Amino acid sequence: MASRLMWASQAASFLRISLFSRAFSTVIKDLKYSDTHEWAKVDGSSVTIGITDHAQDHLGDVVYVELPEVGANAKQGKNFGSVESVKATSDVNSPVSGEIVEVNSELNGSPGLINGSPFEKGWIIKVKMSDAGELNSLMDSEQYSKFCEEEDAKH
Amino acid sequence: MALPQAIKAGLPCMNLLRMTAVPILKQLYLEERLLRSSAENWCIISHGTSLPTIVMGISGRPSELVELKPVLRDQIPVIRRFSGGGTVIIDNGTLFVSLICNKNAIPGLQPYPHPIMSWTGQLYGQVLCEFGDFHLRENDYAFNSHKFGGNAQSIIKDRWIHHTSFLWDYDAKNMEYLKLPSRAPKYRSARSHVEFLCRMKDYVPSRTSFIEGTIKSLGGHFSIRPFDLDELGSLSSSLSGSTKLLTRQELEEAYTSQCVAVYPMYKAFIEPDLQTAHIKFSNKFNPFTGFQNPTYILKSPRNVPVGQIKSVLSQEHKESTEETYDIYLLPPGEDLEAC
C-alpha cells in the first residue's frame, strides 16, 4: 500500500537513515527454529533453547535477561522469560514443552552474550522435552532462512 | 455502552480509554492486563495522578537509580513496571499515552523495538511539529535537545505496547529523588535533570490540543472507538504480572546494602590510624561538569625533564603544585601483591 511506503520513507528521512535491504543473519544448519525466532538444539530428550541471530539483531543490545526458575514448566509457543534491550522488554517463547532443567545464569552478569554468541554462549534454557512430536511443527534451517527473508521483504 | 463511531473502511478498530486521577499503579496493572489478555487495539490517555511516584523499568535496581534516603524519609512510592526503559518520577503534571496494538494492526510494521519506536515517533511528530522543533532523539521525544517524553515498550508474541510519559509540567524539586542515571543517552551530555528536560506546556497551547491532535493522528491508521472505564470492571487485580510496588522493607534493604561495603572497611582499617593525622579531602574532579573542567593526567615511561614539557606548552599556561596520595582499601585476607 502506498501509505506504508510513505510513512516508512517519512520516518527514514525524519531519522536520517537510509532504507536498504539487510544482509543475511547467521542460521545454523542442524537446529530447529520457531516462527518467533527461537532456536532449539536437540540432544536426545534434552533441548537447549535460545534466540536467533536475526532476533538479537532486531532487538538491539540486550541489557537484562529475565530467566525462569529451574523446575518450572515450558509450553510450546508460550513465553518463559524475557530479554530487555533499549527501552523494550520482549518475550521469549519456548519451541517445545517440558520441564526446565537448567538456565544459563551467566546471562545475569553478561546479558550481552545473547548478542555476541546467540547460538552458543547465549543459550537461555535447557528443557527435558515431553513430546518429541512437537519438533515436527518447527522449521529447519532452510525453511527458517526463507521465513526471515520473507519477513524482511514485507517491511 | 459507548456510542459506536462509524467504522472507517478497511481500518482496524482501536478502543480509546481516557482517564483522570487514576493512580499509576492501577494504570500499569490495567495496561499489562490488556496487553496479555485482550485481542483488541487500545489507546489509553491519562493524567492527574496526584502522588509523586517513582516508576522504574523492569530491570531497575533502586540502589542505582533512586536517592533512597529522601525517598524513605518522604515515603515516595517506588514501582517496577512490566516494560523496559528508564526511571521517571511522575506527578500531577505528567500526561500518559499508551498504545497497545496487534502486530498486524499497522501494515508493514515489524514488531521490534526500533520499528515501533520510529513509527510512534512519526505519529507524534505529526502532532507536535507545529509547536516546536520536535525530534525523536535516541528513544526520547525532545524539542531541540530538551526531553519532554520518555518511552518504554513491551513486546509479546503477537502484540506490543508502546507507552509514553509526557512532561506536560513537572515539579523540579521531585527530580532530587532520582540519581543521575549511569545508562543515559549520548545527547544528554551529562546535563542535570533540569538542564536536560523541558515542559510541554511551554510549547503546546493546551493539553486538549495535544490530546485531540494525537487522536486525530491515530485516526489515520485506526477507526477510533471511545471506551468507558466502567466497561472494564475492577482495576485492583493484577494477574501474575510483572508490575510491582516495592515494599518499604525492600527499599530499606537496598539502602543498607549501600552502606555495608566501603564505610565499615574504612572504620575498621583506616580510621584507627587517623588519630594523629591531619588530612584534608578535596575532590576537584567532577565528571558531571563534563568538558568545562577537564583534568588530563599525562603518564609516560620516559623520564622527561620538566623544562622539556614546559617548552611545548603555550606561554599562557598556569602552574600549580599538588601532592596527591592514592589510598587503597585492601580487603582483609587479600595479598598486596596479588591485588
Side-chain angles (χ1 to χ4, degrees):
Chain A
M1 289 203 300
S3 59
R4 170 181 60 200
L5 291 172
M6 211 173 75
W7 79 252
S9 51
Q10 268 181 8
S13 57
F14 214 44
L15 301 168
R16 284 173 262 257
I17 53 171
S18 55
L19 294 167
F20 52 86
S21 56
R22 290 189 54 254
F24 256 144
S25 306
T26 312
V27 178
I28 307 285
K29 264 197 79 191
D30 298 314
L31 306 179
K32 295 293 232 175
Y33 296 88
S34 71
D35 61 3
T36 44
H37 303 282
E38 290 90 14
W39 56 264
K41 183 169 172 183
V42 186
D43 186 8
S45 68
S46 168
V47 182
T48 308
I49 292 162
I51 65 169
T52 65
D53 187 39
H54 181 275
Q56 72 76 20
D57 188 46
H58 279 75
L59 288 175
D61 289 339
V62 176
V63 297
Y64 175 74
V65 182
E66 180 101 27
L67 293 166
E69 300 272 328
V70 171
N73 270 312
K75 206 160 171 278
Q76 187 180 50
K78 292 274 182 285
N79 69 304
F80 63 82
S82 61
V83 301
E84 188 188 352
S85 52
V86 187
K87 302 292 177 183
T89 179
S90 306
D91 270 2
V92 186
N93 305 302
S94 187
V96 295
S97 311
E99 188 193 336
I100 298 173
V101 295
E102 209 184 324
V103 304
N104 187 358
S105 44
E106 287 287 316
L107 294 175
N108 287 322
S110 308
L113 287 171
I114 291 188
N115 298 112
S117 179
F119 295 108
E120 305 219 6
K121 298 206 190 98
W123 67 272
I124 307 178
I125 60 170
K126 288 194 175 142
V127 167
K128 193 167 113 193
M129 192 168 41
S130 56
D131 177 7
E134 283 180 339
L135 295 171
N136 296 327
S137 49
L138 300 175
M139 293 180 264
D140 65 26
S141 54
E142 267 184 49
Q143 290 167 320
Y144 177 67
S145 294
K146 206 158 164 281
F147 175 73
C148 290
E149 258 187 67
E150 285 169 3
E151 252 199 16
D152 281 341
K154 269 192 271 170
H155 304 102
Chain B
M1 173 95 174
L3 286 170
Q5 284 191 327
I7 306 291
K8 287 189 201 161
L11 291 178
C13 185
M14 175 175 263
N15 298 322
L16 172 66
L17 192 55
R18 296 177 70 159
M19 317 194 294
T20 47
V22 174
I24 187 63
L25 185 63
K26 295 212 153 114
Q27 179 172 345
L28 289 168
Y29 284 156
L30 171 65
E31 289 182 6
E32 198 176 357
R33 197 173 100 203
L34 290 176
L35 175 67
R36 291 208 179 263
S37 330
S38 164
E40 294 173 25
N41 303 305
W42 296 85
C43 172
I44 299 164
I45 302 182
S46 154
H47 63 92
T49 175
S50 52
L51 286 178
T53 304
I54 294 173
V55 185
M56 305 184 300
I58 192 166
S59 61
R61 278 199 278 252
S63 54
E64 291 169 17
L65 300 166
V66 165
E67 293 289 2
L68 285 162
K69 197 159 164 205
V71 160
L72 284 164
R73 177 195 70 208
D74 299 340
Q75 300 182 308
I76 307 292
V78 179
I79 294 173
R80 187 182 284 121
R81 65 178 183 266
F82 65 97
S83 53
T87 311
V88 291
I89 180 156
I90 57 128
D91 59 28
N92 241 339
T94 317
L95 176 67
F96 302 99
V97 182
S98 306
L99 298 169
I100 302 174
C101 294
N102 289 312
K103 81 172 181 188
N104 299 318
I106 310 288
L109 180 61
Q110 278 207 54
Y112 289 109
H114 190 70
I116 296 170
M117 189 66 72
S118 61
W119 184 83
T120 44
Q122 174 263 149
L123 184 94
Y124 288 114
Q126 269 179 0
V127 185
L128 292 165
C129 59
E130 65 176 284
F131 301 116
D133 189 16
F134 174 85
H135 290 277
L136 170 63
R137 288 207 188 279
E138 295 177 61
N139 313 304
D140 293 337
Y141 299 143
F143 286 123
N144 297 307
S145 60
H146 293 98
K147 174 178 176 177
F148 65 87
N151 295 298
Q153 299 167 338
S154 176
I155 303 170
I156 65 173
K157 194 165 168 183
D158 294 310
R159 288 162 71 70
W160 50 263
I161 179 171
H162 176 105
H163 52 191
T164 311
S165 59
F166 289 99
L167 293 173
W168 177 258
D169 191 4
Y170 71 89
D171 187 347
K173 256 198 311 83
N174 285 339
M175 294 302 154
E176 292 169 12
Y177 292 114
L178 298 182
K179 287 190 165 159
L180 271 164
S182 58
R183 217 161 72 207
K186 290 198 199 76
Y187 84 98
R188 183 170 182 146
S189 305
R191 286 177 281 168
S192 66
H193 295 298
V194 285
E195 288 170 329
F196 175 52
L197 304 170
C198 68
R199 295 173 171 83
M200 263 180 106
K201 69 176 205 217
D202 293 336
Y203 293 81
V204 183
S206 68
R207 255 200 288 256
T208 312
S209 56
F210 170 60
I211 292 173
E212 296 303 323
T214 301
I215 296 172
K216 185 160 174 251
S217 199
L218 283 169
H221 304 275
F222 296 93
S223 178
I224 307 288
R225 179 200 156 214
F227 202 91
D228 226 70
L229 193 53
D230 301 331
E231 296 178 58
L232 278 172
S234 165
L235 289 179
S236 329
S237 60
S238 117
L239 23 113
S240 54
S242 320
T243 302
K244 193 173 172 292
L245 173 68
L246 271 62
T247 61
R248 188 170 177 89
Q249 188 186 358
E250 284 170 302
L251 295 173
E252 283 174 347
E253 280 170 11
Y255 182 57
T256 8
S257 74
Q258 285 179 335
C259 307
V260 294
V262 179
Y263 185 64
M265 290 181 74
Y266 159 80
K267 286 285 285 187
F269 303 106
I270 294 187
E271 201 183 62
D273 295 330
L274 295 181
Q275 307 286 350
T276 51
H278 297 276
I279 293 185
K280 184 170 131 187
F281 288 97
S282 84
N283 180 4
K284 288 186 185 169
F285 179 55
N286 180 352
F288 295 109
T289 54
F291 295 117
Q292 294 149 16
N293 277 316
T295 298
Y296 299 103
I297 298 171
L298 298 165
K299 291 188 180 179
S300 169
R302 295 163 67 192
N303 210 350
V304 183
V306 175
Q308 201 177 347
I309 298 175
K310 283 196 202 181
S311 69
V312 299
L313 296 173
S314 80
Q315 297 290 353
E316 291 89 60
H317 79 268
K318 288 197 184 69
E319 284 177 44
S320 66
T321 308
E322 283 179 25
E323 268 187 24
T324 58
Y325 293 89
D326 292 328
I327 298 180
Y328 297 93
L329 291 173
L330 188 66
E334 286 295 330
D335 174 30
L336 176 63
E337 305 307 319
C339 283

